[in-house]
């Protein structure tokens, strides 16, 4: 079998592309590297750790549901918090109803919550797409256009740039990315991020970076590429192959926030790469736990429970044994965490077999979940809008 032409291994790592700063309205992003928003992951403690390692880029808060923000849901409001050290306060909104999303954007503006707003049109999760949201929404060009237009109008008044995150389409028979990119540009978005998979592809296989190149060639605004950046050389390869203006990193940094240091070094032509030993990883886990405890206003139990998934990622590949991993998953407070870390050998080197390798979800979706009759037309009827915009209590969960 021949080598996949999209593979980063086909690019010499010393071929460093020039990465110019990206201007998003009044905001300058000195190094266009983005921490992609991930539900349950990119709260401010994790963002702070990533930003401390990485360049002056965009470190985006996890998705906030517009209806939840309008309802003043406590969890949604907590997720809107930023640490004082964060250089650019970047927040992502998700909504289906243009009016509700506009109201959420107005709250962000009126209460000075963020410096930048990203709109989520890329989420492939069934509970989102079955309500017409996330990566399903660009198919309905009327709602897509109206939602962006309303949010941009609100944010422009406060000089807050708006960007959009999209996918290639629902599937390869229903691709929307070029049209969606042009609509976003025409309605005032300052940049577009493309995850180079369809909804149907979910997180499976290798994303098709050629589509990022197509979108870049088609638009005047900056294009960020997203998908399968597992190491610094992947970031270099994506830029060289597609000409994109920047890269967005998602699952690749789960349990390895130092990836941003490696990408920073790569774009500076520095060959140094961080692959910490187990002692250093424990130091990061400890700091992460302390920041989460602050995030949860001193509640160690909440903090340690939140940290559990991160610990599984931090320890991935290390030969620590199943019983140790189980013990970490049963920790209830900082003392428990310290006890388990004290049982580890800090001298164990970072396992080569997981360096720059995929992590997180890699499976294909079995089926794309959409509202009934969604693909029948590119615009919505009055009846469809009434169904979509009904007062769904799930929409205000967070």
């Amino acid at each position: 079998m021949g080598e996949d032409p999209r593979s980063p291994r086909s690019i010499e790592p010393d071929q460093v592309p020039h990465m110019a700063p990206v201007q998003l309205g009044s905001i300058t992003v000195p190094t266009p590297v983005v921490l992609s928003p991930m539900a349950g992951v990119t709260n401010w403690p994790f963002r702070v750790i990533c930003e401390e390692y990485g360049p002056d880029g965009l470190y985006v808060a996890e998705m906030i549901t517009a209806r939840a923000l309008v309802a003043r849901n406590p969890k949604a409001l907590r997720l809107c918090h930023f640490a004082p050290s964060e250089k650019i306060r970047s927040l992502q909104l998700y909504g289906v109803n243009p009016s509700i999303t506009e109201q959420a954007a107005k709250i962000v503006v009126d209460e000075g919550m963020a410096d930048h707003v990203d709109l989520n049109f890329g989420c492939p999760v069934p509970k989102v797409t079955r309500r017409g949201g996330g990566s399903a929404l660009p198919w309905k060009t009327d709602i897509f256009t109206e939602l962006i237009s309303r949010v941009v109008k609100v944010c422009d008044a406060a000089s807050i740039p708006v960007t959009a995150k999209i996918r290639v389409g629902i599937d390869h028979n229903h691709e929307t990315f070029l049209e969606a990119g042009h609509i976003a540009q025409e309605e005032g978005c300052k940049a577009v991020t493309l995850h180079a998979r369809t909804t149907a592809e979910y997180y499976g296989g290798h994303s098709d970076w050629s589509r990022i190149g197509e979108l870049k060639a088609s638009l005047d605004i900056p294009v960020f590429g997203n998908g399968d950046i597992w190491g610094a050389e992947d970031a270099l390869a994506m830029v060289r192959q597609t000409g994109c203006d920047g890269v967005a990193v998602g699952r690749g940094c789960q349990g390895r926030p130092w990836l941003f240091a490696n990408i920073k070094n790569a774009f500076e032509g520095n060959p140094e790469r961080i692959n910490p030993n187990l002692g250093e990883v424990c130091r990061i886990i400890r700091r992460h736990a302390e920041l989460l405890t602050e995030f949860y206003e001193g509640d160690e139990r909440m903090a340690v429970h939140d940290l559990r998934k991160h610990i599984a990622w931090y320890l991935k590949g290390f030969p620590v044994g199943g019983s140790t991993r189980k013990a970490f998953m049963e920790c209830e407070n900082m003392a428990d965490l310290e006890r388990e870390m004290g049982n580890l050998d800090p001298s164990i080197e970072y396992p080569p077999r997981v360096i720059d390798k995929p992590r997180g979800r890699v499976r294909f979706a079995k089926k794309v979940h959409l509202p009934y009759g969604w693909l029948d037309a590119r615009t919505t009827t009055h009846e469809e809008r009434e169904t979509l915009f009904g007062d769904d209590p799930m929409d205000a969960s967070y």
Side-chain angles (χ1 to χ4, degrees), residues 132-265:
S135 56
L137 193 58
W139 180 256
K140 297 296 188 182
T141 55
D142 56 335
I143 303 177
F144 182 70
T145 302
E146 182 185 349
L147 192 153
I148 293 176
S149 176
R150 286 190 179 216
V151 171
V152 167
K153 184 176 180 180
V154 167
C155 291
D156 270 359
S159 298
I160 294 175
V162 176
T163 58
K165 172 80 175 286
I166 61 175
R167 279 194 172 227
V168 171
I170 291 171
D171 55 38
H172 288 301
N173 293 320
H174 302 89
E175 294 187 353
T176 54
F177 73 108
L178 292 175
E179 182 181 34
H182 277 282
I183 291 172
Q185 176 174 278
E186 290 160 10
E187 296 303 324
C189 283
K190 305 304 183 187
V192 172
T193 298
L194 176 63
H195 184 142
R197 288 182 173 90
T198 64
T199 306
E201 289 171 320
Y202 208 58
Y203 295 102
H206 195 292
S207 54
D208 186 352
W209 290 355
S210 70
R211 316 318 292 275
I212 298 168
E214 286 181 55
L215 187 62
K216 170 59 185 171
S218 180
L219 298 183
D220 298 320
I221 59 176
V223 171
F224 290 84
N226 180 222
D228 299 292
I229 294 180
W230 308 112
E233 280 61 42
D234 298 329
L236 292 176
M238 178 183 282
V239 174
R240 288 189 57 82
Q241 291 182 31
T242 70
C244 62
D245 300 280
V247 297
V249 181
R251 294 168 297 146
C253 68
Q254 290 176 350
R256 48 187 182 195
W258 54 85
L259 173 57
F260 288 96
N262 292 341
I263 292 175
K264 178 178 186 290
N265 288 343

Side-chain angles (χ1 to χ4, degrees), residues 8-276:
R9 307 301 176 254
S10 64
I11 297 294
E12 293 296 325
D14 61 346
Q15 296 179 317
V16 181
H18 173 66
M19 295 300 292
V22 166
Q23 196 69 31
L24 302 178
S26 60
I27 291 177
T28 301
V29 183
T31 305
V33 174
V34 179
L35 166 62
S36 289
M38 290 178 281
V41 178
T42 58
N43 49 32
W44 71 252
F46 186 68
R47 296 197 306 270
V48 164
I49 293 172
C50 291
E51 189 167 12
E52 286 174 349
Y53 274 109
D56 289 341
L58 281 177
Y59 298 83
V60 189
E62 61 181 286
M63 182 180 82
I64 309 295
T65 301
R67 191 184 292 276
L69 185 54
V70 171
R72 313 296 296 190
N73 178 285
K75 181 175 180 181
L77 292 173
R78 187 195 301 275
L79 294 176
C80 291
H81 289 172
F82 291 85
S85 64
E86 293 186 81
K87 298 180 181 69
I88 300 173
R89 298 173 304 154
S90 184
L91 186 151
Q92 188 185 69
L93 288 177
Y94 153 73
V96 178
N97 185 330
S99 175
I100 295 293
T101 312
E102 177 186 26
Q103 291 176 49
K106 193 169 190 312
I107 290 172
V108 172
V109 168
D110 290 348
E111 300 185 18
M113 287 183 171
D115 307 310
H116 159 247
V117 169
D118 187 55
L119 293 174
N120 183 305
F121 303 111
C123 181
V125 175
K127 74 175 183 179
V128 169
T129 59
R130 69 162 52 99
R131 296 206 297 274
S135 56
L137 193 58
W139 180 256
K140 297 296 188 182
T141 55
D142 56 335
I143 303 177
F144 182 70
T145 302
E146 182 185 349
L147 192 153
I148 293 176
S149 176
R150 286 190 179 216
V151 171
V152 167
K153 184 176 180 180
V154 167
C155 291
D156 270 359
S159 298
I160 294 175
V162 176
T163 58
K165 172 80 175 286
I166 61 175
R167 279 194 172 227
V168 171
I170 291 171
D171 55 38
H172 288 301
N173 293 320
H174 302 89
E175 294 187 353
T176 54
F177 73 108
L178 292 175
E179 182 181 34
H182 277 282
I183 291 172
Q185 176 174 278
E186 290 160 10
E187 296 303 324
C189 283
K190 305 304 183 187
V192 172
T193 298
L194 176 63
H195 184 142
R197 288 182 173 90
T198 64
T199 306
E201 289 171 320
Y202 208 58
Y203 295 102
H206 195 292
S207 54
D208 186 352
W209 290 355
S210 70
R211 316 318 292 275
I212 298 168
E214 286 181 55
L215 187 62
K216 170 59 185 171
S218 180
L219 298 183
D220 298 320
I221 59 176
V223 171
F224 290 84
N226 180 222
D228 299 292
I229 294 180
W230 308 112
E233 280 61 42
D234 298 329
L236 292 176
M238 178 183 282
V239 174
R240 288 189 57 82
Q241 291 182 31
T242 70
C244 62
D245 300 280
V247 297
V249 181
R251 294 168 297 146
C253 68
Q254 290 176 350
R256 48 187 182 195
W258 54 85
L259 173 57
F260 288 96
N262 292 341
I263 292 175
K264 178 178 186 290
N265 288 343
F267 283 140
E268 292 175 351
N270 181 347
E272 181 183 356
R273 300 292 181 265
I274 295 174
N275 291 299

